[in-house]
Amino acid sequence: MSDSVANDDLKLTPLFDLHQELGGKMVPFAGYSLPVQYALGVLKEHLWVRDSAGLFDVSHMGQVWLRPKSGDSLEHVCLALESLVPQDIVGLKPGRQRYAFFTNDAGGLRDDLMVAKTQDSSGQEALFVVVNGACKSDDLAHMQAEIGGAVDIEMMDSRALLALQGPAAEAALAKHYPGVSDLSFMQVGWFDGALGTVFISRSGYSGEDGFEISVAGDQADALARALLADRSVEAIGLGARDSLRLEAGLCLYGNDLDTTTSPVEADLVWAMQKARKPGGAREGGYPGWSIIKAQLEGGPNVKRVGLKPSSRAPLRPPAELFADEAMTQPIGRVTSGGFGPSAEGPVAMGYVDAAFAEPGKDLFAKQRNKAMALSVATLPFVVQRYKR
Amino acid sequence: MKFTEDHEWVRLEGDIATVGITEHATVQLGDLVFVDLGDADGDVSKGDTAVVVESVKAASDVYAPLDGEIIEANEALNDNPGLVNEDPLGEGWLFKMKLANAGDLDALIDEAAYKALTD
């Protein structure tokens, strides 16, 4: 078993040397070599984030600027992006960020993303978009093909993205960038400091308060080391990132969301604003609208739900779900699952036929050829602690 | 004590073999959160899944190292799977089996050979 992966097929983030120095167990992920865990291990890393603060390297994610063409307005850029997503981008307030997703013609999901309305480093009004690493080249091609004529699109390949998550994140980051204390959940801004000029959002994917920090690639290592010098901060790998987001009820693209699942099926209707829904000021106008509209009005056939196994045994994807213990009536599948260190037991998510989506419903999963009892659970499994 | 290339240890007392996983294996797996002893019962052939150990991230099979009959599983792991991490060669044993043929043990590798495998 090799402790590190560094070959020509995998890209390295600006923090690769630091990961190795910290004893990170490197694995291939989204085309990059990234740490799945460090010496602490997944369980203790997970608990550390909930109790204190964890630093994650998420530089594999795509950071994209969408700017107006010369002489054009930001509103035109917002309208262009609205042709690809079911979110209200025009109505997004400056300095705010919003969760969004690219849909396809079948009403499925191409990717999920974060979009912020802000200014770029030169002070020009723009949208800042963060997309998943595994999808970023497809997303870029999609945007260029669909809205490239109306919008200037720039993928920031050289920048790093760090996430600092947990109740101690604000204090640790404010030592270097005091202004971050004024941000509330889903607010963004530029901050100057001795460690460089950085773009920060108060958001993340752990269910905890925290920040994502976009920093120039050549300044990322020094920033990460400065944050890790704080006793409250530990480096955290992808393993704990996955168990943290699962407990928080957050979807992982590729597991819980894909091109065949619609946002209505995925229970993401909360992320679609009124202006874009049926009867809204700018209803529809994005790929798959007619299918999504029909599901909004008539209800979906399948729905994403939380799943709580009755025993201590973790339930792993892609286990099949059944209505009966004899496992004759298939009604769904597990898309994410494992052990929730903070939930102190196994936690999972999956898709079930809508008739079985009621919390408390008893179901069975087929794992290792045995029927495992579980029930539909309310998400999230742990209380989200965002700074509203 | 003998070892397998699948990172198990086997200790023979009389014709009863106690089986666990090595410290190297526990480091690779990380903190265990569940041990499924469900299959650790009755006749097994070498290579059959005997128990399943689960970390936060993944489930891993532990195989019967030799032919025989599983006669006891370490029930203490139901309440405290972390025993395997704390004391893999002692309190964290997984199961005991009566070997079909105690001489089969000679086919397993010794500590030096196991060390060479994991270095």
Side-chain angles (χ1 to χ4, degrees):
Chain A
M1 203 173 292
S2 92
D3 287 322
S4 63
V5 178
N7 62 44
D8 294 342
D9 297 336
L10 291 176
K11 289 182 267 188
L12 306 183
T13 73
L15 298 186
F16 181 76
D17 290 344
L18 178 60
H19 296 316
Q20 296 229 298
E21 205 178 303
L22 295 171
K25 187 171 166 185
M26 308 303 285
V27 298
F29 186 82
Y32 286 80
S33 177
L34 285 165
V36 67
Q37 63 169 79
Y38 299 88
L40 268 185
V42 178
L43 184 78
K44 294 183 185 78
E45 289 174 23
H46 176 115
L47 295 171
W48 187 273
V49 174
R50 295 254 185 262
D51 288 345
S52 189
L55 183 69
F56 304 76
D57 180 7
V58 289
S59 303
H60 60 292
M61 300 186 84
Q63 304 180 57
V64 185
W65 284 105
L66 303 181
R67 299 184 181 92
K69 297 269 190 194
S70 176
D72 203 355
S73 69
L74 184 64
E75 183 170 0
H76 195 187
V77 177
C78 296
L79 287 166
L81 184 58
E82 283 193 0
S83 72
L84 303 181
V85 304
Q87 278 71 36
D88 179 0
I89 308 299
V90 171
L92 180 63
K93 292 197 179 86
R96 308 276 318 178
Q97 188 179 45
R98 177 163 278 171
Y99 179 65
F101 25 83
F102 292 129
T103 52
N104 64 22
D105 290 337
L109 295 162
R110 297 180 65 107
D111 197 7
D112 60 346
L113 55 130
M114 298 294 277
V115 53
K117 186 175 284 181
T118 184
Q119 290 118 33
D120 68 10
S121 56
S122 71
Q124 186 187 5
E125 286 190 321
L127 297 178
F128 181 71
V129 174
V130 179
V131 298
N132 281 301
C135 302
K136 67 183 179 184
S137 54
D138 283 351
D139 289 341
L140 184 63
H142 178 54
M143 287 191 284
Q144 276 166 341
E146 299 300 327
I147 62 172
V151 175
D152 271 344
I153 302 169
E154 184 188 9
M155 174 82 79
M156 308 292 285
D157 279 324
S158 68
R159 286 184 83 80
L161 190 65
L162 312 185
L164 187 67
Q165 301 280 297
E170 180 186 323
L173 188 57
K175 283 179 187 168
H176 307 286
Y177 299 99
V180 300
S181 296
D182 297 330
L183 293 177
S184 60
F185 184 56
M186 298 296 252
Q187 271 193 311
V188 301
W190 285 96
F191 296 86
D192 291 315
L195 292 163
T197 299
V198 294
F199 183 75
I200 296 177
S201 64
R202 192 156 199 162
S203 56
Y205 226 57
S206 65
E208 298 297 320
D209 181 26
F211 304 87
E212 290 195 351
I213 309 152
S214 172
V215 57
D218 58 6
Q219 294 177 317
D221 183 88
L223 174 58
R225 285 176 197 271
L227 293 169
L228 289 168
D230 193 304
R231 290 179 58 166
S232 67
V233 180
E234 285 283 349
I236 309 295
L238 294 168
R241 182 172 165 81
D242 190 46
S243 54
L244 288 159
R245 69 89 198 166
L246 171 57
E247 279 186 344
L250 301 169
C251 295
L252 176 64
Y253 191 84
N255 277 43
D256 309 298
L257 309 175
D258 61 33
T259 53
T260 69
T261 53
S262 84
V264 185
E265 293 166 344
D267 202 18
L268 296 176
V269 176
W270 60 269
M272 299 160 63
Q273 290 76 32
K274 200 172 142 192
R276 308 298 311 285
K277 285 191 199 164
R282 294 184 311 288
E283 69 166 14
Y286 52 83
W289 155 242
S290 61
I291 293 164
I292 291 170
K293 181 180 185 218
Q295 290 184 359
L296 283 169
E297 289 169 346
N301 291 330
V302 300
K303 199 178 163 199
R304 180 177 64 95
V305 294
L307 301 167
K308 185 82 187 122
S310 308
S311 79
R312 299 280 299 167
L315 175 60
R316 315 268 181 192
E320 258 191 293
L321 296 167
F322 296 86
D324 58 327
E325 190 164 10
M327 300 190 289
T328 59
Q329 193 188 349
I331 50 100
R333 68 202 157 90
V334 176
T335 53
S336 281
F339 184 83
S342 306
E344 297 183 329
V347 291
M349 296 198 289
Y351 284 80
V352 296
D353 292 351
F356 296 88
E358 194 66 29
K361 190 87 186 163
D362 291 323
L363 303 175
F364 296 89
K366 185 177 190 177
Q367 184 157 281
R368 300 197 274 274
N369 275 318
K370 282 180 279 195
M372 201 172 135
L374 59 115
S375 55
V376 175
T378 310
L379 293 172
F381 294 103
V382 297
V383 178
Q384 294 168 339
R385 296 189 291 184
Y386 305 131
K387 189 191 165 187
R388 301 279 181 187
Chain B
M1 187 179 286
K2 291 282 200 172
F3 296 84
T4 73
E5 290 173 1
D6 295 317
H7 309 287
E8 293 152 289
W9 55 262
V10 183
R11 187 165 46 219
L12 192 67
E13 287 153 297
D15 61 348
I16 306 297
T18 304
V19 181
I21 58 173
T22 65
E23 187 176 352
H24 174 84
T26 65
V27 170
Q28 297 299 317
L29 291 168
D31 292 297
L32 296 189
V33 296
F34 183 74
V35 179
D36 186 350
L37 301 167
D39 292 331
D41 189 24
D43 289 334
V44 287
S45 300
K46 178 178 176 172
D48 287 354
T49 296
V51 307
V52 180
V53 294
E54 304 227 19
S55 65
V56 176
K57 275 294 282 177
S60 308
D61 291 344
V62 179
Y63 308 111
L66 295 166
D67 294 349
E69 181 192 359
I70 294 182
I71 55 169
E72 190 182 349
N74 187 357
E75 301 291 339
L77 302 179
N78 287 329
D79 291 332
N80 188 6
L83 275 179
V84 180
N85 298 93
E86 288 160 28
D87 190 9
L89 305 184
E91 296 284 302
W93 63 276
L94 296 176
F95 58 91
K96 297 187 183 193
M97 58 188 294
K98 186 179 272 185
L99 297 184
N101 178 1
D104 289 349
L105 198 70
D106 297 337
L108 301 184
I109 56 179
D110 63 14
E111 186 167 7
Y114 180 69
K115 276 219 163 100
L117 192 73
T118 53
D119 277 346

